[in-house]
């Protein structure tokens, strides 16, 4: 398969499942086809179920925001294959650094759906304990978490625990096309490449950085950014769950085997708004949106399953019931989230061990919050460091 950018340049794109739901046997893709062929019918059914439930989560969260129950929400409709396919390639010991739209990845990692919305409700700074699922909390600062991911990967590389040596631990970080213009992402790729860190950079190119199309962000295909930093790079059809799975599995294996970082560009489309504060009708055409609806990743996998006898009315009814249960849980759970986090919780978990400056700043803020006139903050910070230098 080839796709084009704004200059109509042909871009090689890995595709194993076409929009009609037929398997693709393009020359040169056998290694990836073999990886996809190893997925059983039950694996594919699981992927389909998780993609459908991810979309139900998306729709319910959007509705909750419209009803005033969430302050904001970032929909991921249309990106289910990119997220679920890549998440299926992960192992339990791998560590995930998401941005703020990876709802399908978090679903596959087993995070509670209500916890995923605590942040958007304003009732928590994050929403979950990252160590429970080896998954960091949402990151709103565009691209900042790419550096966090590389730092963690370099830590894995240097710690070399017995588990790492035996099973291999890889790190993956997700970001959008707009983030590739941020310095943090480029700095992260420098560190990853020169240190051969076990990390995968997973770009979900949904073609719109808020209202700015990719054609106004770059002159070259985005997967070539990875090549420029000296790492294996590949563009995949982001609406093809099989291609995404195979490409991510390969990249993660390279990371686990000590072969350094990789870069994957999943070329997909954001069917909805950037966030619930956005109006995509101001910068996109209905014809373009309809064209991409015909490439729907869920419909594509459903067609494959029907053709191969893996999808019937009973299974679809089971998924619908699971979706209804998920919707009810979200509506009840989110409305039960009262208040916001304690002010002092801002200072929790900044460092792994106690830190004098952080402790002093916590004390200052708690005094301020209680209405006691505190000493100037800089004076407390200097005192904690043993005086000004």
């Amino acid at each position: 398969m080839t796709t084009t950018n704004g200059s109509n340049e042909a871009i090689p794109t890995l595709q194993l499942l076409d929009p009609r739901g037929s398997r693709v046997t393009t020359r040169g893709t056998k290694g990836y086809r073999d990886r996809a062929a190893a997925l059983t019918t039950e694996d594919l059914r699981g992927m389909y179920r998780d993609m459908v439930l991810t979309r139900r989560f998306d729709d319910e969260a959007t509705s909750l925001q419209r009803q005033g129950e969430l302050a904001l929400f970032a929909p991921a409709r249309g990106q289910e294959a990119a997220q679920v396919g890549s998440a299926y390639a992960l192992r339990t010991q791998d560590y995930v650094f998401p941005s703020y739209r990876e709802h399908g990845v978090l679903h596959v990692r087993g995070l509670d759906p209500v916890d995923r919305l605590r942040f958007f409700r304003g009732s928590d700074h994050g929403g979950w304990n990252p160590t429970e699922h080896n998954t960091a909390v949402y990151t709103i600062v565009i691209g900042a978490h790419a550096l966090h991911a590389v730092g963690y990967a370099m830590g894995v590389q240097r710690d070399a625990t017995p588990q790492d040596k035996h099973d291999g631990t890889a790190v993956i970080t997700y970001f959008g096309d707009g983030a590739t213009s941020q310095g943090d992402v480029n700095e992260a790729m420098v560190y990853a490449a020169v240190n051969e860190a076990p990390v995968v950079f997973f770009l979900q190119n949904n073609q719109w950085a808020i209202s700015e199309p990719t054609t106004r962000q770059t002159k070259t295909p985005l997967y070539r950014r990875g090549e420029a930093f000296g790492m294996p790079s590949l563009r995949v059809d982001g609406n093809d769950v099989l291609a995404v799975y195979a490409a991510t599995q390969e990249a993660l294996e390279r990371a686990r085997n000590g072969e350094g970082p990789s870069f994957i560009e999943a070329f997909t489309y954001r069917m909805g708004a950037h966030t619930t504060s956005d109006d995509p009708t101001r910068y996109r055409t209905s014809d373009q949106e309809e064209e991409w609806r015909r490439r729907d990743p869920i419909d594509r996998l459903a067609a494959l399953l029907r053709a191969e006898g893996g999808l019937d009315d009973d299974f679809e009814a089971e998924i619908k019931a699971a979706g209804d249960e998920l919707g009810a849980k979200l509506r009840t759970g989110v409305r039960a989230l009262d208040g916001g986090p304690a002010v002092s919780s801002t200072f929790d978990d900044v460092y792994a061990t106690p830190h004098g400056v952080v402790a002093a700043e916590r004390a200052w803020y708690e005094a301020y919050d209680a209405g006691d006139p505190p000493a100037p903050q800089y004076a407390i910070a200097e005192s904690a460091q043993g005086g000004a230098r």
Side-chain angles (χ1 to χ4, degrees), residues 41 45 50 92 94 185 190 194 210 225 238 317 323 331:
T41 299
R45 281 160 59 95
D50 288 339
T92 303
D94 295 336
V185 172
V190 170
V194 299
I210 306 183
R225 296 284 177 93
R331 292 190 295 272

Side-chain angles (χ1 to χ4, degrees), residues 130-154:
T131 61
E132 292 180 0
H133 298 278
N134 281 0
T135 303
V137 296
Y138 286 122
T139 302
I140 297 297
V141 180
I142 305 298
H145 59 295
L147 282 167
H148 307 160
V150 174
Y152 190 93
M154 290 170 64

Side-chain angles (χ1 to χ4, degrees), residues 77 79 206-213 268-274 278-290 292-293:
R77 174 178 277 264
Q79 299 179 222
N206 64 24
Q207 304 182 55
W208 294 94
I210 306 183
S211 58
E212 196 75 353
T268 181
Y269 190 79
R270 190 193 76 218
M271 290 186 183
H274 175 73
D278 174 41
D279 178 9
T281 64
R282 299 184 64 180
Y283 54 85
R284 296 197 313 209
T285 67
S286 57
D287 288 345
Q288 183 188 54
E289 292 178 347
E290 181 56 36
W292 277 93
R293 285 192 189 96

Side-chain angles (χ1 to χ4, degrees), residues 231-245:
M231 61 183 76
S233 304
L234 177 70
R235 172 185 270 205
V236 303
D237 180 347
N239 285 15
D240 172 359
V241 71
L242 302 186
V244 171
Y245 168 81

Side-chain angles (χ1 to χ4, degrees), residues 27-72:
R27 178 177 296 183
T29 62
K30 186 178 184 304
Y32 295 109
R33 284 187 275 123
D34 288 345
R35 291 177 183 276
L39 292 167
T40 66
T41 299
E42 283 307 306
D43 291 331
L44 297 179
R45 281 160 59 95
M47 285 179 167
Y48 177 72
R49 175 189 173 93
D50 288 339
M51 289 167 66
V52 173
L53 292 180
T54 295
R55 184 165 293 184
R56 180 61 182 266
F57 171 87
D58 211 83
D59 292 345
E60 291 288 344
T62 300
S63 295
L64 284 166
Q65 195 283 329
R66 298 304 189 206
Q67 296 162 21
E69 301 294 346
L70 300 177
L72 188 75

Side-chain angles (χ1 to χ4, degrees), residues 317-336:
E318 176 189 322
I319 295 175
K320 183 181 184 305
D324 291 342
E325 182 180 347
L326 172 63
K329 177 176 181 176
L330 282 174
R331 292 190 295 272
T332 301
V334 167
R335 289 171 179 143

Side-chain angles (χ1 to χ4, degrees), residues 280-311:
T281 64
R282 299 184 64 180
Y283 54 85
R284 296 197 313 209
T285 67
S286 57
D287 288 345
Q288 183 188 54
E289 292 178 347
E290 181 56 36
E291 177 187 352
W292 277 93
R293 285 192 189 96
R294 292 194 292 270
R295 306 180 193 181
D296 189 297
I298 295 178
D299 293 346
R300 190 181 302 198
L301 181 55
L304 174 69
L305 283 169
R306 289 193 191 98
E308 297 184 353
L311 185 61

